[in-house]
Amino acid sequence: MQINHPDITQVLVTADQIRDRISELAKEIDEFYSDKDVLLLGVLKGAVPFMADLSRALSIPAQQDWMAVSSYGSGTVSSGVVRILKDLDADVKDRHVLIVEDIIDSGLTLSWLTSNLKARGAASVEIVTLLRKPDAAKVKITVRWVGFDIPNEFVVGYGLDFNENYRSLDGVGILSPAVYS
Ligand code: IMP
Ligand code: MG
């Protein structure tokens, strides 16, 4: 579905921009893991389109696994509570893990997930996120690859939802507050 949609007040990233940025990121990731075996760890459900496009843009062989965690309820404000809804299938001990995330807002989810994977004995844990909001600077996590820095607005599309809607939009845009207020 196209990002030009009546509920989107402003388009922040188009499908073309996402595609171009993903090929740049893929080159850097190929180089970084050229001599290592990498496990791509997607965070459900928002990272599904990003994982699909990024993994296919990579030249290195990579395995995939998925986790579902929740830090948000059904609203638009982070609760700060992280729960595992679906755990990994793979054993991450001694593995090089690359977390594939849709967006970093407060950074609470990823800060928790990074420690959790290290506690399980991962050899390394890196993060690639398609989007990053300004508040992410407040937490101490190193995000090695960022697709786009965006303003502090509630956005949807390319995997990101509001109450499970809008995930299939092909770009990322600001959701009209009229939809959630
Ligand atoms: P954090 O823990 O605050 O960094 O929240 C990260 C998670 O919250 C993301 O993986 C998204 O699932 C969700 N999230 C944060 N900001 C937005 C947004 O603007 N739109 C939709 N989901 C968001
Ligand atoms: Mg997410």
Side-chain angles (χ1 to χ4, degrees), residues 3 11 13-21 158 169-172:
I3 189 64
V11 175
V13 196
T14 65
D16 283 353
Q17 288 170 322
I18 293 173
R19 198 196 45 236
D20 291 350
R21 187 72 184 112
Y158 198 75
L169 293 172
D170 64 2
V172 176

Side-chain angles (χ1 to χ4, degrees), residues 59 116 154 181:
S59 301
N116 182 277
F154 192 79
S181 57

Side-chain angles (χ1 to χ4, degrees), residues 43-47 69-73 75-82 100-112 129 131 133 135-136 139 141 150-157 159-163 165 167 172-175:
V43 185
L44 292 168
K45 306 173 196 170
V69 296
S70 109
S71 68
Y72 275 30
T76 62
V77 180
S78 185
S79 66
V81 180
V82 179
V100 179
E101 183 52 304
D102 50 358
I103 189 167
I104 307 182
D105 181 4
S106 71
L108 287 169
T109 311
L110 282 185
S111 139
W112 177 88
T129 184
L131 306 168
K133 289 190 191 177
D135 280 350
V139 290
I141 42 166
I150 61 165
N152 206 5
E153 302 278 356
F154 192 79
V155 297
V156 293
L160 290 155
D161 73 306
F162 173 68
N163 284 349
N165 292 312
R167 290 192 197 274
V172 176
I174 299 175
L175 183 62

Side-chain angles (χ1 to χ4, degrees), residues 51-133:
M51 172 72 104
D53 290 341
L54 178 68
S55 61
R56 286 177 297 170
L58 294 174
S59 301
I60 50 167
Q63 297 184 328
Q64 292 183 18
D65 203 349
W66 298 90
M67 259 179 103
V69 296
S70 109
S71 68
Y72 275 30
S74 58
T76 62
V77 180
S78 185
S79 66
V81 180
V82 179
R83 282 187 305 143
I84 296 183
L85 305 178
K86 184 225 171 278
D87 206 351
L88 289 156
D89 295 327
D91 180 359
V92 295
K93 191 169 171 359
D94 302 326
R95 300 292 315 265
H96 294 283
V97 181
L98 174 58
I99 301 173
V100 179
E101 183 52 304
D102 50 358
I103 189 167
I104 307 182
D105 181 4
S106 71
L108 287 169
T109 311
L110 282 185
S111 139
W112 177 88
L113 190 53
T114 305
S115 325
N116 182 277
L117 295 167
K118 285 181 178 159
R120 300 192 208 190
S124 68
V125 181
E126 302 291 347
I127 297 167
V128 55
T129 184
L130 182 70
L131 306 168
R132 179 172 64 184
K133 289 190 191 177

